C-alpha cells in the first residue's frame, strides 16, 4: 500500500508539472501573439508574460519578454528591474542566456532615451548601451546562439555598437565597429549585417565629406539590395554634389525605372489606396524633374525638356507650367549660345525683358574697350528668376497637356554695344527688334550708332558692369 501511494504521488507530481509547463507555454504564446499585433497590444502581452512567470519563476524567458513590453512603453526602470531579476537565476561565469539578458540591458539604454537635453548625460546614457552590448559577448559560450528567432553573435553586437557610436557622432569608433562586423562576416555577403554595416559606413563617410569612400559603401549596399531607395537617393546626392552628372543620371534613372514599375502595379490594382498612389507619384515627379535638371546641367537641353514634360502629369500645376515655360526659354537660348546676364545670382531685367549675351561675340578691342552683343527675351508673364519647383500641390485648373507651352514663342531684342569699363557711357552700335514669330520689326533709327549714358542703379549700368566682369576686366 505504501509503495502504491508513493507511485501515485510521483505520477501526480509529474502530471502537475506537465500541466504547469503546458499552461506556461500557452501563456507565453498568447503574449507573443499580442506583442506581434500591429500596433502591438502591450498590456495584454505583459499580463500574459507575468502570469507565465508566476507559473515558472525559474524560467528566464518570461523575464526578458516582460522587459520587452516595458521597452515598448519607454519605462527604463521597470525594464531593468525585470532583467535584473532574471539575471539572478544565473551564477558566476558564462551562459548563453546570461549573454542575452545583458544584451537586452543595452537595448533598454538604446531604445529608452534619457529624459534630458544635457548632451553630456545623453552621451553617457548611450555609452552605457554600448558597454552592455560588448559585455554580453563575455558570457557567450558559443560563436552564435539563437533565441526567439534572433541569432546572437559578435556580428550583430559589433554592428549595434557601431550604430550607437554613430548616434552620438563618434565617427572613429562607429567606423571601427562597423569594420569589425564586416571582418567577422568575411565573405558572407548574404548576411543582412553586411549591407547594414556598409550603409552605416557610407553615412559616416558622407558626414565626414569622404565622398569617394561613401560612394564605394553605398554601391556595396546596392550590390546586395539593388532596390534600396535610401541608398540610391543618397548616392545620387553625392554624385550630383560632385558634379558627376553622368553617374548621377544612371542612379536617378534606376530610381525612376523602379518606381515606374511600382506605380504601374498600383494602377492595375483595385485595392490600391489613393495615398499610396500619390506617394509613388510624388517620387516619380521628383525623379523625372531631377533627370531634367541633370540633362540641363550637361547642356542636353532637348532631353531636359523631355523629362520636365514627363514629370508634369504626376503633378499638374500652374507653377510647374511656368517652370517649364522658363526652362524652354533657357534651353532654347543655351542651344543658340546665349548666356544669362546676372546680378546677385538673378537675371538683369528691364520689366519683363531678360538679358543674355553671346560669349563668342564678346571681344576686347585694341583700345581696351569691349564690343558685346546682347539679346533680350520679352517673356510676358514668365519669370525667369523663379526658383525650381520640386513639390507643388496638384492644381485641378492646370491644363491637361503642355504641348503649347513647349512651343511658346516670345518677342526679342538684339543690341550691340561698345563699352569702356569703369565708365557709365557706352555706344549702342545697333538695335534690332523681333516679334514672337521671329519677324524683324526694327525701325530705321535702330540701325544707327547712338551714344548713351547709363543712369545710377539702372539695368543698363548693371549690364555694363556684368560685361566687364565677363570679359575679365
Amino acid at each position: 500500500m505504501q509503495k502504491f501511494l508513493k507511485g501515485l504521488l510521483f505520477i501526480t507530481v509529474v502530471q502537475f508539472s506537465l500541466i504547469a509547463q503546458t499552461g506556461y507555454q500557452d501563456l507565453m504564446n498568447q503574449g507573443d501573439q499580442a506583442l506581434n499585433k500591429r500596433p502591438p497590444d502591450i498590456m495584454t502581452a505583459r499580463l500574459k508574460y507575468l502570469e507565465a512567470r508566476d507559473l515558472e519563476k525559474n524560467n528566464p524567458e518570461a523575464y526578458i519578454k516582460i522587459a520587452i513590453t516595458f521597452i515598448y512603453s519607454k519605462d527604463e526602470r521597470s525594464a531593468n528591474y525585470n532583467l535584473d531579476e532574471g539575471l539572478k537565476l544565473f551564477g558566476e561565469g558564462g551562459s548563453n542566456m546570461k549573454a542575452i539578458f545583458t544584451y537586452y540591458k543595452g537595448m533598454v539604454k538604446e531604445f529608452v532615451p534619457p529624459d534630458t537635453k544635457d548632451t553630456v548625460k545623453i552621451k553617457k546614457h548611450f555609452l552605457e548601451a554600448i558597454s552592455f552590448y560588448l559585455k554580453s559577448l563575455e558570457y557567450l559560450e558559443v560563436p552564435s546562439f539563437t533565441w526567439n528567432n534572433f541569432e546572437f553573435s559578435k556580428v550583430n553586437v559589433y554592428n549595434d555598437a557601431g550604430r550607437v557610436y554613430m548616434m552620438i557622432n563618434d565617427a572613429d569608433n562607429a567606423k571601427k565597429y562597423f569594420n569589425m562586423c564586416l571582418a567577422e562576416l568575411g565573405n558572407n555577403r548574404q548576411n543582412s549585417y553586411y549591407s547594414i554595416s556598409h550603409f552605416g559606413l557610407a553615412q559616416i563617410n558622407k558626414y565626414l565629406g569622404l565622398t569617394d569612400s561613401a560612394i564605394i559603401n553605398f554601391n556595396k549596399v546596392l550590390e546586395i539590395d539593388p532596390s534600396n531607395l535610401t541608398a540610391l537617393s543618397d548616392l545620387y546626392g553625392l554624385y550630383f554634389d560632385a558634379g558627376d552628372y553622368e553617374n548621377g543620371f544612371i542612379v536617378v534613372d534606376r530610381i525612376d525605372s523602379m518606381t515606374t514599375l511600382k506605380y504601374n502595379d498600383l494602377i492595375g490594382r483595385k485595392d490600391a489606396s489613393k495615398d499610396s498612389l500619390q506617394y509613388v507619384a510624388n517620387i516619380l515627379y521628383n525623379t523625372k524633374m531631377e533627370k531634367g535638371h541633370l540633362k540641363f546641367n550637361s547642356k542636353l537641353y532637348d532631353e531636359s525638356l523631355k523629362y520636365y514634360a514627363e514629370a508634369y502629369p504626376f503633378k499638374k500645376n500652374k507653377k510647374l507650367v511656368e517652370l517649364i515655360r522658363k526652362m524652354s526659354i533657357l534651353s532654347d537660348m543655351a542651344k543658340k549660345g546665349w548666356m544669362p546676364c546676372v546680378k546677385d545670382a538673378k537675371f538683369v531685367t528691364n520689366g519683363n525683358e531678360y538679358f543674355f549675351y553671346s560669349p563668342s561675340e564678346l571681344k576686347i578691342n585694341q583700345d581696351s574697350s569691349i564690343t558685346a552683343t546682347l539679346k533680350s527675351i520679352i517673356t510676358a508673364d514668365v519669370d525667369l528668376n523663379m526658383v525650381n519647383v520640386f513639390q507643388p500641390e496638384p492644381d485641378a485648373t492646370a491644363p491637361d497637356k503642355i504641348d503649347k507651352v513647349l512651343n511658346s514663342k516670345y518677342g526679342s531684342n538684339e543690341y550691340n554695344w561698345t563699352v569702356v569699363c569703369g565708365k557709365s557711357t557706352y555706344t549702342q552700335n545697333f538695335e534690332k527688334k523681333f516679334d514672337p514669330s521671329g519677324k524683324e520689326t526694327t525701325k530705321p533709327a535702330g540701325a544707327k550708332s547712338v551714344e548713351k549714358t547709363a543712369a545710377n542703379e539702372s539695368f543698363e549700368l548693371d549690364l555694363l558692369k556684368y560685361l566687364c566682369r565677363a570679359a575679365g576686366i
Side-chain angles (χ1 to χ4, degrees):
M1 185 68 178
Q2 191 175 10
K3 288 184 179 180
F4 173 76
L5 289 174
K6 284 183 178 179
L8 183 61
L9 180 62
F10 173 76
I11 292 171
T12 303
V13 170
V14 171
Q15 286 179 335
F16 181 79
S17 176
L18 289 172
I19 290 169
Q21 191 174 21
T22 302
Y24 171 86
Q25 196 56 55
D26 285 344
L27 288 167
M28 292 297 291
N29 290 340
Q30 291 169 26
D32 290 345
Q33 289 172 7
L35 198 62
N36 290 331
K37 285 183 178 180
R38 290 294 176 267
D41 186 348
I42 304 299
M43 289 305 300
T44 298
R46 184 179 300 155
L47 289 172
K48 295 298 179 183
Y49 294 144
L50 285 167
E51 287 183 55
R53 183 204 62 188
D54 290 341
L55 283 179
E56 293 192 23
K57 292 186 180 293
N58 290 328
N59 194 321
E61 183 180 29
Y63 292 90
I64 294 184
K65 294 293 183 71
I66 295 167
I68 290 172
T69 67
F70 283 112
I71 294 174
Y72 272 102
S73 302
K74 306 296 183 185
D75 185 343
E76 180 183 358
R77 182 178 178 182
S78 297
N80 277 325
Y81 171 80
N82 282 278
L83 290 172
D84 289 338
E85 288 295 300
L87 279 167
K88 291 176 182 178
L89 300 174
F90 305 97
E92 296 296 325
S95 163
N96 293 325
M97 282 306 296
K98 188 176 181 181
I100 295 292
F101 268 83
T102 307
Y103 176 82
Y104 269 87
K105 293 275 287 182
M107 288 188 68
V108 173
K109 286 293 182 182
E110 179 179 356
F111 294 103
V112 185
D115 186 17
T116 179
K117 293 183 180 179
D118 187 325
T119 56
V120 174
K121 291 181 179 179
I122 291 171
K123 184 175 181 178
K124 180 177 180 291
H125 179 91
F126 286 112
L127 285 173
E128 289 175 3
I130 295 168
S131 178
F132 280 120
Y133 284 149
L134 297 176
K135 182 73 174 176
S136 68
L137 293 176
E138 296 179 16
Y139 302 123
L140 190 63
E141 296 178 308
V142 292
S144 177
F145 176 69
T146 300
W147 173 79
N148 200 38
N149 297 319
F150 170 60
E151 185 177 358
F152 178 75
S153 69
K154 289 181 180 179
V155 169
N156 71 283
V157 170
Y158 290 155
N159 184 275
D160 293 336
R163 181 184 65 249
V164 181
Y165 271 123
M166 188 165 70
M167 289 168 58
I168 58 176
N169 296 323
D170 187 339
D172 289 340
N173 274 313
K175 290 177 75 170
K176 170 187 170 181
Y177 280 98
F178 282 135
N179 282 316
M180 287 172 68
C181 175
L182 291 170
E184 285 293 321
L185 287 169
N187 295 324
N188 184 9
R189 304 198 319 163
Q190 300 310 309
N191 189 301
S192 61
Y193 285 107
Y194 177 86
S195 59
I196 293 171
S197 289
H198 274 296
F199 188 84
L201 288 169
Q203 294 288 356
I204 294 167
N205 286 323
K206 175 185 172 184
Y207 171 76
L208 294 174
L210 303 173
T211 300
D212 291 343
S213 296
I215 287 172
I216 290 171
N217 291 128
F218 278 128
N219 278 316
K220 291 285 187 183
V221 174
L222 293 167
E223 287 174 9
I224 305 301
D225 185 9
S227 61
N228 189 315
L229 187 59
T230 304
L232 284 166
S233 298
D234 283 346
L235 181 59
Y236 166 68
L238 289 170
Y239 281 134
F240 185 88
D241 291 343
D244 187 348
Y245 302 135
E246 183 177 352
N247 277 314
F249 185 86
I250 291 171
V251 174
V252 82
D253 193 48
R254 283 175 64 179
I255 299 173
D256 190 11
S257 299
M258 186 174 71
T259 312
T260 298
L261 289 174
K262 180 65 176 177
Y263 184 80
N264 290 339
D265 175 63
L266 288 171
I267 286 290
R269 286 168 46 187
K270 292 182 180 180
D271 62 338
S273 70
K274 183 178 178 181
D275 288 344
S276 296
L277 274 170
Q278 189 58 56
Y279 175 77
V280 178
N282 286 344
I283 296 175
L284 278 174
Y285 170 82
N286 288 329
T287 55
K288 292 181 185 299
M289 290 296 290
E290 287 291 346
K291 288 166 80 172
H293 295 325
L294 287 168
K295 291 299 182 182
F296 186 85
N297 289 341
S298 299
K299 299 184 179 181
L300 299 171
Y301 304 113
D302 289 336
E303 289 187 54
S304 73
L305 278 174
K306 168 193 165 187
Y307 292 118
Y308 293 139
E310 284 184 8
Y312 182 75
F314 294 102
K315 266 191 189 174
K316 296 175 185 176
N317 184 277
K318 288 181 178 178
K319 199 74 175 174
L320 179 54
V321 172
E322 188 178 342
L323 173 64
I324 292 173
R325 290 171 69 187
K326 164 194 167 180
M327 298 309 294
S328 67
I329 293 171
L330 295 179
S331 296
D332 183 60
M333 294 300 286
K335 279 192 294 183
K336 295 174 181 176
W338 296 97
M339 299 296 291
C341 297
V342 296
K343 177 187 178 183
D344 300 329
K346 290 187 176 182
F347 269 93
V348 177
T349 64
N350 178 30
N352 60 0
E353 187 178 13
Y354 292 78
F355 290 89
F356 299 76
Y357 81 104
S358 172
S360 64
E361 297 181 46
L362 182 64
K363 298 178 180 179
I364 301 176
N365 304 313
Q366 288 185 348
D367 61 358
S368 297
S369 64
I370 297 170
T371 300
T373 300
L374 296 164
K375 192 175 186 71
S376 66
I377 299 296
I378 303 167
T379 65
D381 59 343
V382 181
D383 179 8
L384 296 188
N385 282 321
M386 74 173 289
V387 177
N388 291 339
V389 179
F390 281 87
Q391 288 187 321
E393 292 302 317
D395 183 352
T397 64
D400 288 331
K401 296 183 178 180
I402 55 171
D403 298 349
K404 291 182 179 179
V405 173
L406 295 173
N407 295 319
S408 297
K409 304 294 182 182
Y410 305 93
S412 64
N413 297 327
E414 191 172 315
Y415 309 90
N416 185 271
W417 289 1
T418 298
V419 176
V420 176
C421 294
K423 293 186 177 182
S424 59
T425 56
Y426 64 99
T427 302
Q428 181 170 286
N429 301 312
F430 65 77
E431 175 186 19
K432 297 179 181 179
K433 293 182 178 291
F434 302 88
D435 67 17
S437 69
K439 180 180 178 182
E440 186 172 353
T441 59
T442 307
K443 294 181 179 180
K448 296 180 180 179
S449 177
V450 181
E451 298 296 321
K452 293 195 169 190
T453 300
N456 288 333
E457 299 184 2
S458 65
F459 77 91
E460 293 98 337
L461 188 61
D462 289 337
L463 287 171
L464 294 178
K465 292 178 179 178
Y466 180 79
L467 292 173
C468 288
R469 290 198 301 273
I473 297 177

